[in-house]
Amino acid sequence: MGTYILGIESSCDDTSAAVVSGDGLLCSNVIASQSVHEQYGGVVPELASRAHQQNIVPVVDAALRQAGIDASELSAIAFTRGPGLLGSLLVGTSFAKGLSLALRIPIIEVNHLHAHVLAHFIKQSPDDEVPEYPFLTLLISGGNSQLILVRNYNDMQILGATIDDAAGEAFDKCAKVMGLPYPGGPHIDRLAATGDPLRFHFARPRIPGLDYSFSGLKTSFLYTVRDALRQDSDFIEKNRADLAASLQHTIIDILMRKLDLAVKQTGVSTVAIGGGVSANSGVRDAVSDYCRVHGLKAFIPKRVFTTDNAAMVAIAGYFKYLDGEFCRYDSTPFARVHV
Ligand code: KG4
């Protein structure tokens, strides 16, 4: 019988299940997103937990069917232990424990941030290229902005992190100021394509080392728009694309300056990006261009693997499975970053 690892992801508002086979190939990846949060302008934790409860059984069932296997063929179950929303994590964790007891197979806990980093090892075909260790990852999402030196699948060092807001929050909160729906990042991305990135100037942080800060930019954006609206109530309407392009340009500039510093300090030859914000067209182009100019290898994830997905949990679990790194049944979810 072959090896099959089931991955389960339920850290925020996506319920996802995926199967990876013994040769490390992805057999299925099913994601149920929750539209219920759109009307509230952000994820409502209580509603997210309830939606996970509704989705988890059909999502796991679909992942097994798409992989063409029966649950009895599974070798182990990997689940996201944290960080994330506690109520959401409890659903995936409890489900993983229950299924593993029923099937008498081990469980593997996975750190959600490690899984984002390891998304580059998801192989949909045997020829897919994966990064060589050590490499540098810029992990940018709605909750985190980190520069991570990855020496191995289980040896990651955070070199820098945001001291306040994450890059995704900067996108989303500024988008909200412009009256765009949640999450605003993809809307800013679309609008920015036709705008002038140098039209407006927003504050950039001046903090030493490899840490990030985005709260000053957010305030600067808010004040610029507020002051302009006093002169012209149609200001946002008339300047949507330029505001989006200038905001995106500033966020990318902040991200790239520290990435450049980290590359110089570590001397790595490979750079990867991950997390929801790595879906941004401007970020993807900036990192690709930077790597080309500096003779570095760039790993830019497929868009489906930038946001929360279980394929990355399954591949992270697969590496732990190969090393026999299973967890106990009293393993409990954790909400905060915990590396
Ligand atoms: O990793 P992720 O799915 O989960 C959280 O950590 O919450 O990241 C979600 C974040 C949101 O802030 C969203 O606006 C942002 O990723 N995002 C983008 C784009 N697509 C998603 N930001 C900018 N441009 C995009 N195309």
Side-chain angles (χ1 to χ4, degrees):
M1 209 166 83
T3 298
Y4 291 102
I5 311 297
L6 172 69
I8 293 176
E9 158 63 32
S10 72
S11 65
C12 190
D13 60 340
D14 293 303
T15 318
S16 181
V19 175
V20 162
S21 63
D23 45 10
L25 283 182
L26 183 66
C27 306
S28 65
N29 183 41
V30 176
I31 305 174
S33 301
Q34 305 174 0
S35 55
V36 64
H37 308 285
E38 279 162 22
Q39 59 190 302
Y40 299 102
V43 177
V44 183
E46 177 79 20
L47 296 179
S49 314
R50 282 191 223 177
H52 284 306
Q53 286 280 7
Q54 288 173 338
N55 294 340
I56 190 98
V57 171
V59 164
V60 169
D61 187 50
L64 292 173
R65 269 188 289 115
Q66 282 185 22
I69 60 162
D70 185 77
S72 60
E73 293 176 74
L74 288 173
S75 318
I77 302 172
F79 65 96
T80 303
R81 184 176 167 208
L85 300 172
L86 211 60
S88 291
L89 290 163
L90 278 167
V91 178
T93 304
S94 303
F95 185 88
K97 288 181 186 179
L99 187 59
S100 92
L101 283 169
L103 297 171
R104 296 174 187 273
I105 54 175
I107 41 172
I108 301 166
E109 61 182 45
V110 170
N111 178 310
H112 181 74
L113 301 178
H114 290 188
H116 268 301
V117 171
L118 297 172
H120 292 283
F121 292 88
I122 299 168
K123 280 185 162 193
Q124 292 176 293
S125 104
D127 303 329
D128 285 352
E129 208 183 346
V130 299
E132 275 180 29
Y133 299 116
F135 63 93
L136 189 68
T137 294
L138 174 62
L139 183 60
I140 35 178
S141 68
N144 297 280
S145 297
Q146 297 180 335
L147 279 162
I148 305 170
L149 179 62
V150 187
R151 296 194 190 90
N152 206 329
Y153 84 88
N154 56 1
D155 183 2
M156 301 188 195
Q157 184 185 353
I158 298 178
L159 304 176
T162 182
I163 58 166
D164 41 55
D165 291 344
E169 276 174 283
F171 271 109
D172 295 343
K173 288 180 179 165
C174 294
K176 197 170 176 182
V177 171
M178 289 173 65
L180 297 169
Y182 176 87
H187 297 280
I188 297 285
D189 193 353
R190 258 191 305 280
L191 284 168
T194 56
D196 176 359
L198 302 177
R199 170 87 189 286
F200 299 103
H201 294 275
F202 305 116
R204 286 162 169 76
R206 286 201 202 131
I207 51 167
L210 294 174
D211 286 336
Y212 284 114
S213 165
F214 289 97
S215 67
L217 162 63
K218 197 182 65 188
T219 312
S220 158
F221 185 88
L222 176 69
Y223 287 176
T224 302
V225 172
R226 189 195 60 186
D227 293 348
L229 281 173
R230 287 200 184 117
Q231 311 294 321
D232 177 1
S233 58
D234 291 333
F235 171 75
I236 294 177
E237 202 49 57
K238 289 178 187 160
N239 297 286
R240 263 179 203 284
D242 289 351
L243 278 169
S246 302
L247 170 68
Q248 184 168 300
H249 174 75
T250 312
I251 292 174
I252 293 171
D253 187 43
I254 295 170
L255 291 172
M256 294 308 295
R257 279 171 196 236
K258 298 287 170 132
L259 178 69
D260 177 49
L261 198 57
V263 166
K264 288 182 177 140
Q265 285 185 7
T266 56
V268 291
S269 54
T270 302
V271 170
I273 54 172
V277 180
S278 69
N280 183 270
S281 325
V283 170
R284 296 166 83 87
D285 289 348
V287 173
S288 302
D289 291 349
Y290 174 86
C291 287
R292 199 178 47 247
V293 169
H294 292 83
L296 307 170
K297 186 126 189 87
F299 279 84
I300 312 291
K302 287 184 182 159
R303 280 196 163 83
V304 63
F305 300 132
T306 58
T307 47
D308 293 345
N309 66 85
M312 65 185 193
V313 178
I315 196 72
Y318 168 74
F319 291 131
K320 285 188 150 188
Y321 177 83
L322 295 180
D323 280 349
E325 267 196 59
F326 307 126
C327 75
R328 292 162 41 128
Y329 284 95
D330 59 2
S331 159
T332 52
F334 59 90
R336 302 207 156 267
V337 178
H338 169 275
V339 177

